Amino acid sequence: QSRDEALRQLEQSVQQRLGTSGRIVVAGDRVTVTLTNTSADALAQWLAQARTAAHALPAEAHLVGNGSGAWEGNLVLALPRS
């Protein structure tokens, strides 16, 4: 799978699973996903889809629970190399 295809898959998975609670910033072969008030279920489903469809692997995670059962913070994912 090419980097461009992986990025497309990842962007699509964020829209489908996270909606407005996820935002993507691309820097080379790494993607930072910023989470805001993301439910645990949505986060788990999205991460599974990102790993299988986009072959993106978590490289860093800086997440905190916000007290209402949701997550906030950043995930850095490594895209496959072309």
Side-chain angles (χ1 to χ4, degrees):
Q1 181 177 38
S2 73
R3 178 196 172 280
D4 290 341
E5 176 64 17
L7 183 57
R8 189 184 69 72
Q9 291 282 342
L10 188 61
E11 289 172 336
Q12 184 178 31
S13 71
V14 167
Q15 290 174 349
Q16 288 176 347
R17 300 287 183 184
L18 301 179
T20 59
S21 75
R23 186 173 44 98
I24 291 180
V25 175
V26 180
D29 63 348
R30 294 199 171 224
V31 176
T32 300
V33 180
T34 301
L35 304 173
T36 305
N37 201 33
T38 303
S39 74
D41 284 343
L43 177 57
Q45 291 174 10
W46 167 74
L47 190 53
Q49 185 177 2
R51 292 185 67 198
T52 57
H55 302 283
L57 299 175
E60 296 177 38
H62 305 280
L63 301 173
V64 293
N66 67 6
S68 66
W71 292 93
E72 304 203 4
N74 297 307
L75 278 170
V76 178
L77 304 172
L79 293 174
R81 297 187 189 268
S82 297

